Amino acid sequence: MVDTQLVPRGIRDEPVLLAMKKVQRHIFMPESTRSAAYEDRAVPIGEGQTISQPYMVAIMSELLELTGSEKVLEIGTGSGYQAAILGELAGDVYTIERVSALAESAGRTLESLGYKNVHVFAGDGTLGLEDKAPFDRIIITAAAPEIPAPLVNQLREGGILVVPVGERYSQVLLKGRKVRGEIVKESYTNCAFVPLIGEYGWKE
Ligand code: SAH
């Protein structure tokens, strides 16, 4: 997966490549879809949701510019796979999932693998986690109509936010840096994430 999907597409960050070699994607998937674990695509994980394409996990992780000590907020825990990768690359990871069954199952998987620095919460991630803010990095792994205002407030000055923004079924991956309270954006690849549903996301 790393040698055929990530390196040829330009992922160069060595810690990201190492983390993606170490964390086994199939562990985060239901038995019924595990045979597809190392394919170049998003795969269903139940509840109408998906585990993201490995390349998306890699590029989003790379864009976050992690050095090992950051406090990270992830919106959209899903399977917990991206959270585990972040757990390898950052200090503490707070991850929020709207579907409580997925939050529970991801929490169990992460616990069984020993990720003591990854903390799973169930709820509407568009509101962030006020009592754990500010965050050094924020990653949204679901498609947002726009960057949710509470998350901009909870990102520390100089911090980085990575999010797919656009239409409900097609988006552009954005990297934003908070400079004097405003998000300065750069656009990356086109992508198609499941919708971010919540108060500052899409309506159900
Ligand atoms: N990062 C995940 C990808 C999951 S897909 C992984 O590695 O597997 C996106 C997830 O975002 C879905 O599980 C969906 O239920 C969740 N989601 C959508 N809107 C949300 C919201 N407002 N708050 C938290 N999670 C949300």
Side-chain angles (χ1 to χ4, degrees):
M1 180 186 91
V2 169
D3 295 339
T4 62
Q5 299 170 32
L6 308 186
V7 174
R9 286 203 188 101
I11 303 298
R12 290 287 173 268
D13 185 312
E14 205 52 48
V16 169
L17 294 172
L18 281 176
M20 293 200 60
K21 277 190 178 158
K22 177 174 170 188
V23 180
Q24 300 183 74
R25 191 168 179 248
H26 73 267
I27 309 271
F28 294 85
M29 297 168 57
E31 300 275 354
S32 55
T33 55
R34 281 190 180 179
S35 59
Y38 300 96
E39 290 179 10
D40 185 13
R41 60 182 175 96
V43 177
I45 53 169
E47 310 286 339
Q49 308 303 329
T50 55
I51 181 170
S52 304
Q53 182 195 27
Y55 173 66
M56 275 301 149
V57 174
I59 189 170
M60 292 175 92
S61 303
E62 186 169 82
L63 290 173
L64 286 172
E65 298 181 21
L66 296 166
T67 66
S69 60
E70 292 81 3
K71 179 158 79 163
V72 182
L73 176 66
E74 180 195 26
I75 316 303
T77 315
S79 67
Y81 177 63
Q82 172 80 71
I85 300 286
L86 296 171
E88 295 284 337
L89 298 167
D92 270 294
V93 179
Y94 296 87
T95 179
I96 316 178
E97 171 55 52
R98 178 181 157 264
V99 179
S100 51
L102 291 176
E104 279 163 32
S105 131
R108 278 195 301 273
T109 308
L110 289 159
E111 197 182 332
S112 73
L113 294 171
Y115 286 101
K116 298 215 176 352
N117 62 336
V118 181
H119 317 282
V120 182
F121 295 79
D124 178 3
T126 67
L127 303 172
L129 277 181
E130 189 72 59
D131 59 335
K132 305 289 180 196
F135 297 95
D136 302 309
R137 303 286 187 266
I138 298 180
I139 169 174
I140 308 180
T141 63
E146 56 194 54
I147 303 173
L151 301 182
V152 176
N153 292 334
Q154 292 175 31
L155 182 65
R156 86 162 163 75
E157 180 65 21
I160 297 173
L161 179 149
V162 174
V163 53
V165 174
E167 303 303 316
R168 202 165 166 129
Y169 297 104
S170 97
Q171 310 88 36
V172 173
L173 188 61
L174 295 184
K175 169 178 176 171
R177 199 182 289 270
K178 190 164 172 181
V179 183
R180 288 183 288 278
E182 304 279 332
I183 299 292
V184 180
K185 298 173 205 152
E186 281 174 78
S187 300
Y188 290 83
T189 177
N190 291 329
C191 50
F193 280 80
V194 297
L196 179 74
I197 294 169
E199 195 170 328
Y200 292 84
W202 297 99
K203 301 300 158 227
E204 208 151 340

Tab-separated table of all heavy atoms in Angstrom, residues 45 49-52 57 74-83 96-99 102 123-126 141-142 194-198, ligand 1:
chain	number	residue	atom	x	y	z
A	45	ILE	N	-17.769	0.856	6.351
A	45	ILE	CA	-17.518	0.347	7.716
A	45	ILE	C	-18.827	0.188	8.491
A	45	ILE	O	-18.819	0.025	9.711
A	45	ILE	CB	-16.560	1.276	8.509
A	45	ILE	CG1	-17.059	2.726	8.510
A	45	ILE	CG2	-15.137	1.180	7.957
A	45	ILE	CD1	-16.323	3.645	9.479
A	49	GLN	N	-21.192	4.718	6.583
A	49	GLN	CA	-19.941	5.488	6.614
A	49	GLN	C	-18.802	4.673	5.998
A	49	GLN	O	-18.965	3.498	5.703
A	49	GLN	CB	-19.625	5.901	8.050
A	49	GLN	CG	-20.779	6.608	8.745
A	49	GLN	CD	-21.255	7.850	8.009
A	49	GLN	OE1	-20.473	8.529	7.338
A	49	GLN	NE2	-22.541	8.158	8.107
A	50	THR	N	-17.658	5.313	5.819
A	50	THR	CA	-16.515	4.638	5.185
A	50	THR	C	-15.218	4.930	5.935
A	50	THR	O	-15.111	5.931	6.639
A	50	THR	CB	-16.317	5.125	3.726
A	50	THR	OG1	-16.182	6.554	3.732
A	50	THR	CG2	-17.474	4.740	2.827
A	51	ILE	N	-14.257	4.022	5.752
A	51	ILE	CA	-12.869	4.288	6.179
A	51	ILE	C	-12.240	4.968	4.961
A	51	ILE	O	-12.406	4.512	3.827
A	51	ILE	CB	-12.138	2.989	6.587
A	51	ILE	CG1	-10.701	3.256	7.055
A	51	ILE	CG2	-12.138	1.939	5.487
A	51	ILE	CD1	-10.043	2.004	7.703
A	52	SER	N	-11.542	6.086	5.162
A	52	SER	CA	-11.042	6.877	4.035
A	52	SER	C	-9.996	6.110	3.224
A	52	SER	O	-9.335	5.205	3.727
A	52	SER	CB	-10.415	8.177	4.537
A	52	SER	OG	-11.345	8.903	5.308
A	57	VAL	N	-5.770	9.651	3.826
A	57	VAL	CA	-5.259	9.629	5.201
A	57	VAL	C	-3.816	10.151	5.200
A	57	VAL	O	-3.427	10.969	6.041
A	57	VAL	CB	-5.324	8.189	5.775
A	57	VAL	CG1	-4.661	8.119	7.139
A	57	VAL	CG2	-6.778	7.725	5.844
A	74	GLU	N	-9.674	15.688	15.882
A	74	GLU	CA	-10.200	15.104	14.649
A	74	GLU	C	-11.727	15.067	14.724
A	74	GLU	O	-12.284	14.639	15.735
A	74	GLU	CB	-9.694	13.659	14.451
A	74	GLU	CG	-10.247	13.052	13.151
A	74	GLU	CD	-10.123	11.529	13.026
A	74	GLU	OE1	-10.073	10.830	14.049
A	74	GLU	OE2	-10.090	11.038	11.887
A	75	ILE	N	-12.391	15.503	13.654
A	75	ILE	CA	-13.847	15.393	13.566
A	75	ILE	C	-14.159	14.272	12.579
A	75	ILE	O	-13.759	14.356	11.410
A	75	ILE	CB	-14.494	16.696	13.032
A	75	ILE	CG1	-13.903	17.955	13.677
A	75	ILE	CG2	-16.009	16.650	13.179
A	75	ILE	CD1	-13.977	18.019	15.141
A	76	GLY	N	-14.882	13.241	13.026
A	76	GLY	CA	-15.219	12.113	12.154
A	76	GLY	C	-14.324	10.913	12.422
A	76	GLY	O	-13.537	10.503	11.572
A	77	THR	N	-14.455	10.335	13.609
A	77	THR	CA	-13.611	9.198	14.018
A	77	THR	C	-13.783	8.008	13.086
A	77	THR	O	-12.796	7.337	12.753
A	77	THR	CB	-13.988	8.728	15.446
A	77	THR	OG1	-14.137	9.860	16.279
A	77	THR	CG2	-12.968	7.767	16.008
A	78	GLY	N	-15.032	7.738	12.691
A	78	GLY	CA	-15.325	6.588	11.827
A	78	GLY	C	-14.768	5.310	12.422
A	78	GLY	O	-15.112	4.918	13.536
A	79	SER	N	-13.863	4.674	11.707
A	79	SER	CA	-13.258	3.414	12.153
A	79	SER	C	-12.194	3.614	13.235
A	79	SER	O	-11.825	2.672	13.924
A	79	SER	CB	-12.586	2.744	10.958
A	79	SER	OG	-11.476	3.535	10.540
A	80	GLY	N	-11.637	4.834	13.308
A	80	GLY	CA	-10.526	5.091	14.232
A	80	GLY	C	-9.157	4.978	13.570
A	80	GLY	O	-8.125	5.207	14.205
A	81	TYR	N	-9.145	4.637	12.279
A	81	TYR	CA	-7.858	4.426	11.579
A	81	TYR	C	-7.032	5.715	11.502
A	81	TYR	O	-5.859	5.751	11.885
A	81	TYR	CB	-8.133	3.860	10.184
A	81	TYR	CG	-6.893	3.674	9.326
A	81	TYR	CD1	-5.888	2.784	9.697
A	81	TYR	CD2	-6.740	4.377	8.135
A	81	TYR	CE1	-4.762	2.607	8.897
A	81	TYR	CE2	-5.626	4.197	7.329
A	81	TYR	CZ	-4.630	3.319	7.720
A	81	TYR	OH	-3.526	3.158	6.932
A	82	GLN	N	-7.649	6.790	11.017
A	82	GLN	CA	-6.927	8.066	10.940
A	82	GLN	C	-6.473	8.506	12.339
A	82	GLN	O	-5.371	9.023	12.508
A	82	GLN	CB	-7.832	9.131	10.304
A	82	GLN	CG	-7.287	10.556	10.333
A	82	GLN	CD	-6.265	10.838	9.247
A	82	GLN	OE1	-6.604	10.916	8.075
A	82	GLN	NE2	-5.003	11.004	9.650
A	83	ALA	N	-7.318	8.273	13.331
A	83	ALA	CA	-6.967	8.659	14.708
A	83	ALA	C	-5.723	7.902	15.177
A	83	ALA	O	-4.863	8.464	15.861
A	83	ALA	CB	-8.147	8.401	15.644
A	96	ILE	N	-13.840	13.042	17.597
A	96	ILE	CA	-15.294	13.062	17.846
A	96	ILE	C	-16.028	12.367	16.712
A	96	ILE	O	-15.760	12.630	15.537
A	96	ILE	CB	-15.843	14.504	17.934
A	96	ILE	CG1	-14.938	15.395	18.772
A	96	ILE	CG2	-17.261	14.514	18.484
A	96	ILE	CD1	-15.417	16.843	18.853
A	97	GLU	N	-16.986	11.507	17.064
A	97	GLU	CA	-17.815	10.802	16.082
A	97	GLU	C	-19.285	11.009	16.432
A	97	GLU	O	-19.684	10.871	17.567
A	97	GLU	CB	-17.447	9.306	16.069
A	97	GLU	CG	-18.347	8.413	15.256
A	97	GLU	CD	-18.507	8.826	13.800
A	97	GLU	OE1	-17.508	9.022	13.099
A	97	GLU	OE2	-19.679	8.980	13.364
A	98	ARG	N	-20.074	11.313	15.384
A	98	ARG	CA	-21.493	11.591	15.549
A	98	ARG	C	-22.312	10.312	15.777
A	98	ARG	O	-23.290	10.321	16.521
A	98	ARG	CB	-21.931	12.287	14.259
A	98	ARG	CG	-23.339	12.615	14.167
A	98	ARG	CD	-23.593	13.286	12.814
A	98	ARG	NE	-24.983	13.103	12.504
A	98	ARG	CZ	-25.451	12.138	11.733
A	98	ARG	NH1	-24.643	11.307	11.123
A	98	ARG	NH2	-26.743	12.023	11.558
A	99	VAL	N	-21.902	9.201	15.140
A	99	VAL	CA	-22.643	7.939	15.266
A	99	VAL	C	-22.070	7.162	16.452
A	99	VAL	O	-20.928	6.698	16.398
A	99	VAL	CB	-22.516	7.098	13.967
A	99	VAL	CG1	-23.266	5.783	14.090
A	99	VAL	CG2	-22.987	7.910	12.764
A	102	LEU	N	-20.300	3.771	16.087
A	102	LEU	CA	-18.951	3.840	15.502
A	102	LEU	C	-17.945	4.354	16.534
A	102	LEU	O	-16.818	3.852	16.612
A	102	LEU	CB	-18.939	4.743	14.262
A	102	LEU	CG	-19.681	4.224	13.022
A	102	LEU	CD1	-19.649	5.275	11.911
A	102	LEU	CD2	-19.078	2.919	12.523
A	123	GLY	N	-20.540	12.665	19.599
A	123	GLY	CA	-21.286	13.925	19.578
A	123	GLY	C	-21.101	14.651	18.265
A	123	GLY	O	-20.530	14.106	17.313
A	124	ASP	N	-21.621	15.891	18.227
A	124	ASP	CA	-21.523	16.723	17.023
A	124	ASP	C	-20.177	17.445	17.019
A	124	ASP	O	-19.990	18.443	17.722
A	124	ASP	CB	-22.679	17.724	16.993
A	124	ASP	CG	-22.595	18.650	15.788
A	124	ASP	OD1	-21.675	18.480	14.950
A	124	ASP	OD2	-23.447	19.551	15.684
A	125	GLY	N	-19.262	16.953	16.186
A	125	GLY	CA	-17.913	17.515	16.137
A	125	GLY	C	-17.843	18.908	15.547
A	125	GLY	O	-16.815	19.577	15.684
A	126	THR	N	-18.919	19.370	14.875
A	126	THR	CA	-18.851	20.733	14.317
A	126	THR	C	-18.786	21.771	15.440
A	126	THR	O	-18.416	22.917	15.210
A	126	THR	CB	-20.032	21.062	13.368
A	126	THR	OG1	-21.246	21.121	14.107
A	126	THR	CG2	-20.147	20.038	12.246
A	141	THR	N	-12.537	14.868	8.823
A	141	THR	CA	-12.488	13.797	7.830
A	141	THR	C	-13.877	13.514	7.266
A	141	THR	O	-14.197	12.380	6.915
A	141	THR	CB	-11.836	12.520	8.408
A	141	THR	OG1	-12.641	12.049	9.487
A	141	THR	CG2	-10.435	12.786	8.897
A	142	ALA	N	-14.710	14.562	7.184
A	142	ALA	CA	-16.008	14.491	6.513
A	142	ALA	C	-16.168	15.809	5.760
A	142	ALA	O	-15.506	16.800	6.090
A	142	ALA	CB	-17.127	14.290	7.527
A	194	VAL	N	-17.742	11.557	2.855
A	194	VAL	CA	-19.135	11.511	3.314
A	194	VAL	C	-19.432	12.849	4.004
A	194	VAL	O	-18.520	13.510	4.499
A	194	VAL	CB	-19.403	10.320	4.278
A	194	VAL	CG1	-19.186	8.992	3.580
A	194	VAL	CG2	-18.549	10.407	5.537
A	195	PRO	N	-20.703	13.276	4.012
A	195	PRO	CA	-21.009	14.615	4.540
A	195	PRO	C	-20.783	14.773	6.050
A	195	PRO	O	-21.013	13.837	6.821
A	195	PRO	CB	-22.495	14.817	4.198
A	195	PRO	CG	-22.992	13.545	3.653
A	195	PRO	CD	-21.862	12.610	3.427
A	196	LEU	N	-20.334	15.967	6.408
A	196	LEU	CA	-20.252	16.380	7.808
A	196	LEU	C	-21.653	16.867	8.179
A	196	LEU	O	-22.142	17.858	7.621
A	196	LEU	CB	-19.249	17.530	7.936
A	196	LEU	CG	-19.041	18.112	9.329
A	196	LEU	CD1	-18.220	17.160	10.200
A	196	LEU	CD2	-18.342	19.477	9.250
A	197	ILE	N	-22.281	16.156	9.108
A	197	ILE	CA	-23.671	16.481	9.445
A	197	ILE	C	-23.719	17.032	10.863
A	197	ILE	O	-23.242	16.382	11.803
A	197	ILE	CB	-24.555	15.218	9.324
A	197	ILE	CG1	-24.604	14.791	7.847
A	197	ILE	CG2	-25.969	15.484	9.844
A	197	ILE	CD1	-25.202	13.450	7.620
A	198	GLY	N	-24.252	18.239	11.015
A	198	GLY	CA	-24.315	18.818	12.350
A	198	GLY	C	-24.679	20.288	12.293
A	198	GLY	O	-24.971	20.829	11.226
B	1	SAH	N1	-11.489	9.259	9.865
B	1	SAH	C1	-12.348	8.133	9.545
B	1	SAH	C2	-13.183	8.401	8.311
B	1	SAH	C3	-14.617	8.315	8.648
B	1	SAH	S1	-15.795	8.878	7.476
B	1	SAH	C4	-11.567	6.837	9.459
B	1	SAH	O1	-10.332	6.866	9.548
B	1	SAH	O2	-12.176	5.770	9.370
B	1	SAH	C5	-16.405	10.334	8.285
B	1	SAH	C6	-17.058	10.134	9.626
B	1	SAH	O3	-17.516	11.419	10.046
B	1	SAH	C7	-18.285	9.228	9.617
B	1	SAH	O4	-18.085	8.181	10.516
B	1	SAH	C8	-19.425	10.149	10.079
B	1	SAH	O5	-20.376	9.511	10.907
B	1	SAH	C9	-18.659	11.220	10.845
B	1	SAH	N2	-19.343	12.505	11.016
B	1	SAH	C10	-20.153	13.155	10.148
B	1	SAH	N3	-20.570	14.315	10.688
B	1	SAH	C11	-20.001	14.408	11.927
B	1	SAH	C12	-20.045	15.366	12.986
B	1	SAH	N4	-20.760	16.503	12.922
B	1	SAH	N5	-19.331	15.115	14.115
B	1	SAH	C13	-18.589	13.976	14.247
B	1	SAH	N6	-18.529	13.038	13.291
B	1	SAH	C14	-19.220	13.241	12.138
